[in-house]
């Protein structure tokens, strides 16, 4: 009887003294187990994110540098197009307009190679000698070929780069393949791995970038026409170690490295290997990542090697075992302490993630500044040179047009600078300077200002405006930026010879500005990401068209500041229709 009487009391005492701690202990162990799993997954994701972030930074740095050199080549082609004759002194003077040693120190030389038949070589040689290039001579080979591409002008940036006047670029099959590709496509191309002449102890690996120059006025709509119109190539010659070492130095460290191989070569013939790659690749804990970079007609295979301990911090590496051991240790503590610790840890992780996002945002804004400012500055320098008489005398009408272009370019630079400050949109600090504006004139001005780009792309643009002006109370500058972005995208993402329609109309409630094209279109799955900040949709023209991924985000934000919206309808391969819808807030005049 006593046993049966005492047993319930013992059971009650057991439950009152031990059951809650046991429950708490078990609950904390369960939570600890899931936290440990989460920490392991988080560490795995952090390592994967760090790998891709490092790879993105490397590839963006390569792209950014290559874009800068491509702009110099485009300017060189423009120099030849804008003048009936470009002498060696003209070429040297053009390049001296750039701060080559400071901003373009990774290149060995800029030059121009003339496309010539065998019969034209004597006259070309005499022309070069008359300009003082006495060491110009072309080796016609045995047997002679029907076509040649001898170097007529060359400006060495690196002192150890050889002066190659008269060297036939076509004599090397790797260069020839890239030059033929540039000629047939009309686009800038780069070669595969070359063995170049070297006056130093550096590896002789190199590559060359070519921009085709065609006879002005000749049709260029087909491969046959481009072949017939070819005049020569503006080129930039690089040593791979000189080009990639500075990128590796500012992007990678002792814990990471990369190796570049063109896809038409084997892995044992790398184009470039960073200093730390081979040593890191031997470690058993090495993380490896292989990606492809498509750039100017060439595909590079980039192999990355990462020391696992260098990708993330020691705190992150120790986090999974610390969570497990710490969970077992604190299982004897009350649930509230565990809750406070978890909340503290959660806030710490959130702060780290927020800090990482801010760093990524700053880096993307810096890249956007470089990509947008470089071509605009190049245009300004080139137009300025023409206005100064560098390419010869210009008449009054030409000067008026050039001055208008120069002013338009200044406005473009101003817009670029303003874009870099529009991050404050997210903080709600944008204040519109509204004024009554004639939208008919605004739309017409925007189309006229982009006439050069439209003509260059061989597009046909129709503008539909109502007979009676539509006047709204808007911020002229801000709405102009939004419309310019939609029209610019239509020009860029429509194949040459496309059809673009710009229409302004209204109904009793709203005003509509519609920009439609028959370009490459946008897949339905990608349309949800169109207006996200720093997002670019991957398509067949992404590599050819530079951008930062903030244009449509800003356009949407600026339209919404006016109380409007932007809609999009698109079908891949058939084109896109973007429509700005604005409320009729103000009375019309």
């Amino acid at each position: 009887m006593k046993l049966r009487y005492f047993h319930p009391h013992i059971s009650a005492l057991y439950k009152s003294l031990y059951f809650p701690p046991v429950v708490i202990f078990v609950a904390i162990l369960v939570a600890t187990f899931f936290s440990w799993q989460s920490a392991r997954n988080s560490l795995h994701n952090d390592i994967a994110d760090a790998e891709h972030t490092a790879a993105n930074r490397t590839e963006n740095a390569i792209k950014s540098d290559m874009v800068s050199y491509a702009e110099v080549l485009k300017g060189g082609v423009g120099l030849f197009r804008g003048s009936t004759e470009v002498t060696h002194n003209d070429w040297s003077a053009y390049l001296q307009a750039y701060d080559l040693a400071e901003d373009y120190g990774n290149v060995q030389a800029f030059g121009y190679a003339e496309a010539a038949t065998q019969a034209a070589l004597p006259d070309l040689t005499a022309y070069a000698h008359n300009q003082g290039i006495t060491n110009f001579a072309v080796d016609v080979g045995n047997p002679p070929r029907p076509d040649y591409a001898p170097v007529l002008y060359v400006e060495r940036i690196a002192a150890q780069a050889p002066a190659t006047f008269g060297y036939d670029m076509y004599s090397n099959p790797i260069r020839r393949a890239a030059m033929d590709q540039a000629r047939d496509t009309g686009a800038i191309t780069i070669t595969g791995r070359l063995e170049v002449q070297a006056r130093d102890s550096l590896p002789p690996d190199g590559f060359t970038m070519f921009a085709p120059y065609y006879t002005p006025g000749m049709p260029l709509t087909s491969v046959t026409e481009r072949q017939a119109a070819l005049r020569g190539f503006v080129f930039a010659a690089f040593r791979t170690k000189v080009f990639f070492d500075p990128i590796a130095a500012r992007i990678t460290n002792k814990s990471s490295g990369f190796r570049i191989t063109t896809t038409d070569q084997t892995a044992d013939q790398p184009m470039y290997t960073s200093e730390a790659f081979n040593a890191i690749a031997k470690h058993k804990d090495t993380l490896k990542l292989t990606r492809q970079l498509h750039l100017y007609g060439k595909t590079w295979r980039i192999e990355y090697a990462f020391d696992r301990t260098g990708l993330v911090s020691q705190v992150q590496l120790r986090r999974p075992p610390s969570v497990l051991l710490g969970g077992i240790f604190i299982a004897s503590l009350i649930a509230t302490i565990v809750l406070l610790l978890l909340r503290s840890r959660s806030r710490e992780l959130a702060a780290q993630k927020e800090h990482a996002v801010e760093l990524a945002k700053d880096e993307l804004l810096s890249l956007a500044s470089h990509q947008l400012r470089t071509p605009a500055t190049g245009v300004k320098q080139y137009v300025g040179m023409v206005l100064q008489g560098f390419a010869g005398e210009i008449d009054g009408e030409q000067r008026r047009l050039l001055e208008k272009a120069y002013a338009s370019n200044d406005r473009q630079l101003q817009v670029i600078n303003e874009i870099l400050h529009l991050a404050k949109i997210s903080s709600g600090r944008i204040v519109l300077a509204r004024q009554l504006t004639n939208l008919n004139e605004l739309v017409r001005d925007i189309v006229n200002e982009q006439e050069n780009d439209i003509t260059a792309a061989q597009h046909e643009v129709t503008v539909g405006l109502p007979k009676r002006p539509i006047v709204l109370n808007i911020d002229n500058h801000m709405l102009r930026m939004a419309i310019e972005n939609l029209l610019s995208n239509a020009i860029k993402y429509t194949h040459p010879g496309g059809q673009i329609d710009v229409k302004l109309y209204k109904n009793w409630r709203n005003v509509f500005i519609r920009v439609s094209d028959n370009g490459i279109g946008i897949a339905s799955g990608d349309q949800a990401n169109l207006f996200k900040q720093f997002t670019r949709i991957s398509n067949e023209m992404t590599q050819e068209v530079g951008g930062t991924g903030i244009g449509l985000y800003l356009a949407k934000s600026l339209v919404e500041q006016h109380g409007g919206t932007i809609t999009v309808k698109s079908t891949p391969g058939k084109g896109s229709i973007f429509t700005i819808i604005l409320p009729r807030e103000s009375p019309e005049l």
Side-chain angles (χ1 to χ4, degrees), residues 454 457-462 497-501:
I454 294 170
Q458 305 174 11
H459 295 324
E460 180 179 347
V461 177
T462 59
Q499 175 68 44
I500 298 174
D501 298 311

Side-chain angles (χ1 to χ4, degrees), residues 13-91:
L13 182 62
Y14 175 82
K15 291 180 180 180
S16 64
L17 295 178
Y18 299 103
F19 184 73
V22 169
V23 171
I24 292 175
F25 184 82
V26 172
I28 293 176
L29 284 183
V30 171
T32 299
F33 173 77
F34 285 109
S35 297
W36 174 67
Q37 288 280 48
S38 176
R40 290 182 61 192
N41 293 335
S42 178
L43 176 61
H44 176 76
N45 293 335
D46 287 345
I47 292 174
D49 289 344
E51 285 183 298
H52 287 281
T53 297
N56 288 337
R57 291 182 62 199
T58 300
E59 291 161 21
N60 287 337
I62 293 172
K63 290 178 185 178
S64 178
D65 284 3
M66 294 296 285
V67 166
S68 298
Y69 293 110
E71 293 302 327
V72 177
L73 297 191
K74 291 178 183 178
V77 172
L79 176 67
F80 282 92
R81 287 176 179 170
S83 177
T84 57
E85 178 183 9
V86 177
T87 66
H88 191 207
N89 290 337
D90 293 337
W91 177 252

